[in-house]
Amino acid sequence: MTWLITGGAGYIGAHVARAMAESGQQAVVLDDFSTGLPERLRAVPGAGGEPGVPGDIPLVRGSTLDGAALETAIAEYGVTGVIHLAARKQVAESVERPLHYYRENVHGLTVLLEAVAAAGVRRFVFSSSAAVYGMPDVDLVTEDTPCLPMNPYGETKLTGEWLVRAAGQAHGISTSCLRYFNVAGAAEPALADTGVSNIIPMFFDALTRGEAPKIFGDDYPTPDGTCVRDYIHVQDLAEAHVKAAGLLSPDGSAGDLTLNIGTGSGVSVREMASLVAEVTGRREPAAEVAPRRAGDPARVVASARRAEKELGWTARHDVRAMVASAWEGWLLRHPELG
Ligand SMILES: NC(=O)c1ccc[n+]([C@@H]2O[C@H](COP(=O)([O-])OP(=O)(O)OC[C@H]3O[C@@H](n4cnc5c(N)ncnc54)[C@H](O)[C@@H]3O)[C@@H](O)[C@H]2O)c1
């Protein structure tokens, strides 16, 4: 088995590459480096090495929009399965640039699936997102909760799931769509998320600039009035990929799984602000409340039971471990704070 990991130089993709290598799988990474970092891959043992050397993860610079590059990579490395993470992921940017998001996330996926089907690859894992649910009005979101995405990003992920399932059925490909909830933390500092669009790095960023972290809205119908989310450690998420990939069978018989990847527990924004202050030791300036942001649901917490049943997987890391490991990654890029 050789797995093609698209987007493997990204935050989650590098963790998936690391987890696959640790589980003894052969893999090759394809990335266009639009947001990915070569140095992140250098922290993955064996990554970027010579093709054909056991344990090495060769790196192909290329786009999922380039069918010829995909065909060459699949043939050259004898790819037998794909874990597809390459995508644009910023909700606000997707509202401003919907055509770009549909092109990268949906057209890129179509081109990739064409190459996969033509080459007879029979296993495909797709990075989906809790964004497919939109504003779910339920205590725990199950995979059967209606999907009503509220922005182009979520739409591209839901359309992606449809494409993956349809192509799977038509071409005998075993497929798995993993709906990640709020991904956080790092397996090691060099692999940490470098963006500041997620809440933990957003809080770190404010503290680094001596500004108060912002809590958007404290009048939601939740215990402390702030939004509640389900945070999943990226290392647990990467292990879920290894399990999901291992379940897929070449004859397509074990395919078509759609799974929430979360913990089943909610953490409020205010609780997160306190934890960040505690872990970083930076309690000042204290978090301040700003008006609600449009489109923020009050509560989005996964039911993780189907993933537990189907994959034999549960999250092992708690939210403190996520904040602590993310902070180590932040300090690596801001040594002046150490
Ligand atoms: N981070 C989260 O909280 C989260 C939550 C739900 C789902 N996801 C999904 O997980 C996946 C990975 O997200 P991430 O947080 O690691 O983001 P990221 O931006 O760090 O990683 C994406 C990687 O894909 C590469 N890439 C983008 N478009 C490409 C293309 N057309 N061809 C080749 N490479 C391309 C980028 O260079 C980058 O290395 C995405 O599909 C995202 O939608 C992320």
Side-chain angles (χ1 to χ4, degrees):
M1 282 289 320
T2 298
W3 292 89
L4 176 67
I5 302 174
T6 72
Y11 164 51
I12 300 171
H15 281 90
V16 171
R18 180 181 188 271
M20 291 296 278
E22 280 178 356
S23 72
Q25 308 268 353
Q26 289 284 346
V28 51
V29 161
L30 178 131
D31 203 294
D32 69 358
F33 294 101
S34 49
T35 56
L37 305 170
E39 59 266 32
R40 208 183 253 133
L41 270 175
R42 282 199 282 276
V44 175
E50 288 302 309
V53 178
D56 270 7
I57 305 175
L59 173 62
V60 176
R61 184 181 284 266
S63 168
T64 55
L65 293 161
D66 183 347
L70 293 170
E71 278 169 29
T72 304
I74 289 171
E76 189 172 334
Y77 296 102
V79 168
T80 46
V82 174
I83 302 181
H84 177 50
L85 300 110
R88 310 293 306 175
K89 63 163 184 179
Q90 307 287 350
V91 169
E93 188 187 43
S94 80
V95 174
E96 285 158 23
R97 303 183 67 196
L99 300 178
H100 182 60
Y101 270 65
Y102 270 86
R103 183 173 166 74
E104 292 289 325
N105 295 5
V106 179
H107 183 58
L109 172 58
T110 311
V111 174
L112 175 61
L113 285 168
E114 278 168 355
V116 161
V121 174
R122 294 274 179 264
R123 300 169 172 92
F124 198 94
V125 179
F126 176 60
S127 279
S128 187
S129 165
V132 299
Y133 296 114
M135 299 259 266
D137 188 16
V138 290
D139 196 37
L140 285 181
V141 179
T142 74
E143 291 80 355
D144 299 321
T145 299
C147 290
L148 297 165
M150 295 186 55
N151 48 62
Y153 170 67
E155 290 164 14
T156 65
K157 288 292 167 183
L158 185 56
T159 310
E161 288 191 6
W162 294 338
L163 264 173
V164 166
R165 280 188 215 112
Q169 280 163 19
H171 300 285
I173 307 165
S174 280
T175 64
S176 205
C177 295
L178 305 182
R179 294 175 176 166
Y180 317 161
F181 279 62
N182 292 62
V183 188
E188 53 187 286
L191 297 184
D193 192 3
T194 49
V196 290
S197 57
N198 291 341
I199 183 173
I200 297 173
M202 206 187 274
F203 282 176
F204 292 166
D205 188 44
L207 289 169
T208 302
R209 287 186 284 109
E211 293 172 9
K214 283 203 170 51
I215 294 176
F216 295 103
D218 67 349
D219 56 352
Y220 286 93
T222 58
D224 68 13
T226 67
C227 290
V228 172
R229 297 289 179 268
D230 186 337
Y231 296 92
I232 175 81
H233 196 294
V234 66
Q235 207 173 337
D236 289 330
L237 175 65
E239 278 158 21
H241 286 76
V242 175
K243 297 248 181 186
L247 266 190
L248 300 180
S249 75
D251 60 5
S253 61
D256 208 9
L257 273 180
T258 299
L259 302 171
N260 286 343
I261 306 294
T263 64
S265 317
V267 175
S268 77
V269 176
R270 200 178 281 290
E271 286 169 332
M272 186 59 90
S274 304
L275 197 54
V276 166
E278 202 181 308
V279 169
T280 61
R282 291 168 182 264
R283 292 169 185 278
E284 295 296 331
E288 70 184 30
V289 177
R292 286 184 183 199
R293 289 184 307 195
D296 269 347
R299 176 184 162 90
V300 186
V301 178
S303 161
R305 294 185 63 176
R306 191 183 287 180
E308 188 177 342
K309 179 168 164 279
E310 298 288 348
L311 303 181
W313 166 94
T314 45
R316 292 182 295 121
H317 296 84
D318 63 12
V319 73
R320 178 179 292 273
M322 298 179 214
V323 174
S325 59
W327 182 239
E328 282 178 36
W330 188 267
L331 288 178
L332 192 68
R333 293 192 310 284
H334 298 273
E336 72 282 4
L337 299 173

